[in-house]
Amino acid sequence: MIQQIDKVLQARLEAGALKNRGIQLVEGPGGIVIVKDGINRYEGLDGIPDPEVKAIIRQAVADWEKGAR
């Protein structure tokens, strides 16, 4: 699931200003979401300090949920 959402996220990133930030979603131990933002790593969405990054990830999740139905 996380890989699928990351694919949606990568497509969104290609068209925007965050394209070169190296933002990526990966699965961590126990199935937690790890958000990579360049050299920074955050556990889960709540750990991300940048509201713009949070917003684009939330948009990717919403797009994925629409496609999963």
Side-chain angles (χ1 to χ4, degrees), residues 17-40:
L18 299 174
K19 178 179 177 178
N20 296 318
R21 288 265 299 258
I23 299 167
Q24 182 182 16
L25 302 178
V26 295
E27 188 170 340
I32 63 168
V33 177
I34 303 291
V35 180
K36 294 182 178 181
D37 182 0
I39 61 169
N40 300 307

